[in-house]
mmCIF file of all heavy atoms in Angstrom:
data_model
loop_
_atom_site.group_PDB
_atom_site.id
_atom_site.type_symbol
_atom_site.label_atom_id
_atom_site.label_comp_id
_atom_site.label_asym_id
_atom_site.label_seq_id
_atom_site.Cartn_x
_atom_site.Cartn_y
_atom_site.Cartn_z
ATOM 1 N N VAL A 22 8.132 35.811 1.244
ATOM 2 C CA VAL A 22 6.791 35.947 1.793
ATOM 3 C C VAL A 22 5.835 36.296 0.671
ATOM 4 O O VAL A 22 6.163 37.044 -0.248
ATOM 5 C CB VAL A 22 6.763 37.046 2.888
ATOM 6 C CG1 VAL A 22 5.353 37.283 3.393
ATOM 7 C CG2 VAL A 22 7.686 36.672 4.020
ATOM 8 N N ALA A 23 4.627 35.747 0.709
ATOM 9 C CA ALA A 23 3.645 35.989 -0.341
ATOM 10 C C ALA A 23 3.408 37.489 -0.480
ATOM 11 O O ALA A 23 3.416 38.226 0.507
ATOM 12 C CB ALA A 23 2.339 35.279 -0.011
ATOM 13 N N ARG A 28 -2.337 38.586 0.170
ATOM 14 C CA ARG A 28 -2.846 38.771 1.519
ATOM 15 C C ARG A 28 -3.905 39.859 1.610
ATOM 16 O O ARG A 28 -4.514 40.038 2.656
ATOM 17 C CB ARG A 28 -1.675 39.127 2.446
ATOM 18 C CG ARG A 28 -0.541 38.131 2.361
ATOM 19 C CD ARG A 28 0.494 38.380 3.448
ATOM 20 N NE ARG A 28 1.032 39.730 3.422
ATOM 21 C CZ ARG A 28 2.089 40.074 2.692
ATOM 22 N NH1 ARG A 28 2.689 39.202 1.930
ATOM 23 N NH2 ARG A 28 2.553 41.302 2.730
ATOM 24 N N LEU A 31 -7.814 40.017 3.304
ATOM 25 C CA LEU A 31 -7.955 38.805 4.113
ATOM 26 C C LEU A 31 -9.063 38.971 5.134
ATOM 27 O O LEU A 31 -9.825 38.045 5.390
ATOM 28 C CB LEU A 31 -6.634 38.503 4.829
ATOM 29 C CG LEU A 31 -6.605 37.231 5.679
ATOM 30 C CD1 LEU A 31 -6.928 36.025 4.812
ATOM 31 C CD2 LEU A 31 -5.264 37.064 6.352
ATOM 32 N N ARG A 47 -9.886 33.705 10.585
ATOM 33 C CA ARG A 47 -8.731 33.255 9.825
ATOM 34 C C ARG A 47 -8.084 32.023 10.433
ATOM 35 O O ARG A 47 -7.779 31.065 9.730
ATOM 36 C CB ARG A 47 -7.700 34.398 9.719
ATOM 37 C CG ARG A 47 -6.433 33.993 8.977
ATOM 38 C CD ARG A 47 -5.421 35.124 8.981
ATOM 39 N NE ARG A 47 -5.087 35.560 10.326
ATOM 40 C CZ ARG A 47 -4.260 34.901 11.140
ATOM 41 N NH1 ARG A 47 -3.708 33.754 10.743
ATOM 42 N NH2 ARG A 47 -3.998 35.356 12.334
ATOM 43 N N PHE A 165 -4.876 31.669 4.012
ATOM 44 C CA PHE A 165 -5.339 31.951 5.371
ATOM 45 C C PHE A 165 -4.184 32.158 6.347
ATOM 46 O O PHE A 165 -4.412 32.488 7.508
ATOM 47 C CB PHE A 165 -6.226 30.815 5.883
ATOM 48 C CG PHE A 165 -7.628 30.842 5.324
ATOM 49 C CD1 PHE A 165 -8.169 29.727 4.708
ATOM 50 C CD2 PHE A 165 -8.406 31.986 5.424
ATOM 51 C CE1 PHE A 165 -9.455 29.748 4.197
ATOM 52 C CE2 PHE A 165 -9.696 32.022 4.916
ATOM 53 C CZ PHE A 165 -10.226 30.901 4.306
ATOM 54 N N SER A 166 -2.951 31.937 5.888
ATOM 55 C CA SER A 166 -1.802 32.175 6.765
ATOM 56 C C SER A 166 -1.622 33.674 6.961
ATOM 57 O O SER A 166 -1.810 34.464 6.038
ATOM 58 C CB SER A 166 -0.526 31.572 6.150
ATOM 59 O OG SER A 166 -0.631 30.166 6.066
ATOM 60 N N SER A 167 -1.256 34.068 8.172
ATOM 61 C CA SER A 167 -1.007 35.485 8.433
ATOM 62 C C SER A 167 0.242 35.923 7.679
ATOM 63 O O SER A 167 1.108 35.094 7.374
ATOM 64 C CB SER A 167 -0.837 35.724 9.934
ATOM 65 O OG SER A 167 0.246 34.956 10.432
ATOM 66 N N PRO A 168 0.377 37.220 7.364
ATOM 67 C CA PRO A 168 1.531 37.669 6.581
ATOM 68 C C PRO A 168 2.871 37.265 7.178
ATOM 69 O O PRO A 168 3.781 36.861 6.463
ATOM 70 C CB PRO A 168 1.360 39.198 6.563
ATOM 71 C CG PRO A 168 -0.108 39.414 6.726
ATOM 72 C CD PRO A 168 -0.583 38.308 7.623
ATOM 73 N N GLU A 169 2.991 37.318 8.525
ATOM 74 C CA GLU A 169 4.277 36.991 9.131
ATOM 75 C C GLU A 169 4.576 35.500 9.115
ATOM 76 O O GLU A 169 5.714 35.082 9.354
ATOM 77 C CB GLU A 169 4.323 37.509 10.578
ATOM 78 C CG GLU A 169 3.291 36.889 11.514
ATOM 79 C CD GLU A 169 1.971 37.648 11.516
ATOM 80 O OE1 GLU A 169 1.724 38.398 10.552
ATOM 81 O OE2 GLU A 169 1.203 37.487 12.475
ATOM 82 N N HIS A 170 3.554 34.666 8.840
ATOM 83 C CA HIS A 170 3.764 33.221 8.804
ATOM 84 C C HIS A 170 3.519 32.631 7.416
ATOM 85 O O HIS A 170 3.445 31.414 7.277
ATOM 86 C CB HIS A 170 2.846 32.518 9.810
ATOM 87 C CG HIS A 170 3.130 32.869 11.242
ATOM 88 N ND1 HIS A 170 2.240 33.544 12.028
ATOM 89 C CD2 HIS A 170 4.238 32.655 12.001
ATOM 90 C CE1 HIS A 170 2.757 33.728 13.235
ATOM 91 N NE2 HIS A 170 3.973 33.199 13.238
ATOM 92 N N ALA A 171 3.387 33.464 6.405
ATOM 93 C CA ALA A 171 3.056 32.964 5.070
ATOM 94 C C ALA A 171 4.123 32.013 4.536
ATOM 95 O O ALA A 171 3.807 31.045 3.848
ATOM 96 C CB ALA A 171 2.873 34.146 4.107
ATOM 97 N N LYS A 172 5.389 32.269 4.873
ATOM 98 C CA LYS A 172 6.446 31.426 4.329
ATOM 99 C C LYS A 172 6.489 30.050 4.992
ATOM 100 O O LYS A 172 7.223 29.175 4.545
ATOM 101 C CB LYS A 172 7.802 32.119 4.447
ATOM 102 C CG LYS A 172 8.243 32.419 5.865
ATOM 103 C CD LYS A 172 9.545 33.191 5.840
ATOM 104 C CE LYS A 172 10.030 33.523 7.258
ATOM 105 N NZ LYS A 172 11.288 34.310 7.220
#
Side-chain angles (χ1 to χ4, degrees):
V22 175
R28 307 189 304 272
L31 182 58
R47 178 184 57 78
F165 283 127
S166 296
S167 59
E169 63 271 20
H170 296 115
K172 62 184 180 181

